[in-house]
């Protein structure tokens, strides 16, 4: 009956509302960890936040910037996030290590709103933007091909 993020541990028989402790700005996206059901990441107007207790408490990972999209990689050890401003796409090692900036296509005043990775080919990425532009990368972000412009296929 209340808006929020809910989780289940019994195949949907019962649901529990997450407290979202530590989240202080609007959520723009959410990603579930591929193998640890306790771990989720959310993108917000105030940064990237990660919870390891079903969303009860979150900690900011990195600077206080507007994060527009987030995705866990299949290995569960890394995630990708997009931020507004410089329209950056960043690969983060969850257990420490250096962040890696990935090349994005020229987006002008557009920003990434969605990130996806092919389950069949680990190197293939897709991004969709606020203005409904869609791009595919066959090589983990080294090059991009636009496949839709403002919602229309090319």
């Amino acid at each position: 009956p209340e808006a929020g993020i809910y989780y289940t541990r019994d195949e949907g028989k019962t649901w529990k509302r997450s407290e979202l402790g530590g989240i202080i700005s609007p959520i723009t996206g959410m990603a579930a960890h591929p193998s640890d059901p306790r771990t989720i990441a959310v993108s917000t107007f105030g940064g990237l936040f990660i919870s390891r207790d079903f969303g009860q408490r979150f900690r900011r990972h990195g600077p206080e910037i507007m994060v527009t999209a987030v995705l866990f990689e299949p290995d569960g050890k890394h995630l990708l996030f997009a931020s507004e401003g410089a329209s950056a796409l960043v690969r983060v090692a969850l257990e420490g290590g250096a962040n890696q900036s990935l090349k994005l296509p020229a987006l002008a005043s557009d920003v990434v709103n969605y990130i996806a990775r092919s389950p069949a080919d680990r190197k293939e990425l897709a991004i969709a933007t606020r203005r409904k532009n869609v791009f595919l990368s066959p090589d983990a972000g080294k090059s991009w091909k636009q496949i839709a412009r403002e919602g229309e296929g090319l």
Side-chain angles (χ1 to χ4, degrees):
E2 251 185 292
I5 295 175
Y6 289 78
Y7 66 94
T8 181
R9 297 177 73 185
D10 58 8
E11 303 295 325
K13 292 177 185 151
T14 60
W15 292 87
K16 185 170 182 180
R17 188 174 190 274
S18 295
E19 292 298 321
L20 303 178
I23 301 294
I24 56 174
S25 61
I27 293 173
T28 58
M30 182 172 60
H33 192 279
S35 59
D36 181 359
R38 298 168 301 170
T39 301
I40 62 171
V42 294
S43 54
T44 76
F45 287 0
L48 173 67
F49 288 82
I50 298 173
S51 172
R52 297 184 188 266
D53 61 1
F54 297 100
Q56 301 307 316
R57 293 179 309 269
F58 284 86
R59 284 189 19 212
R60 184 182 4 256
H61 188 90
E64 187 174 339
I65 58 174
M66 182 174 202
V67 177
T68 58
V70 63
L71 170 77
F72 276 101
E73 292 194 350
D75 69 5
K77 296 177 183 177
H78 299 88
L79 57 78
L80 296 172
F81 75 87
S83 62
E84 195 170 69
S87 292
L89 184 60
V90 178
R91 184 173 189 252
V92 175
L94 291 176
E95 301 303 328
N99 290 352
Q100 175 188 7
S101 290
L102 302 179
K103 178 185 171 188
L104 276 176
L107 298 177
S109 60
D110 206 358
V111 296
V112 174
N113 273 0
Y114 186 77
I115 311 165
R117 183 178 293 280
S118 167
D121 182 351
R122 183 177 163 349
K123 291 183 180 180
E124 189 172 68
L125 291 172
I127 58 171
T129 72
R130 181 180 298 155
R131 293 188 173 167
K132 301 178 188 162
N133 295 308
V134 181
F135 299 85
L136 288 179
S137 173
D139 50 16
K142 292 179 183 147
S143 65
W144 295 90
K145 177 184 178 188
Q146 189 167 10
I147 63 167
R149 181 173 291 115
E150 296 184 1
E152 299 291 325
L154 298 178

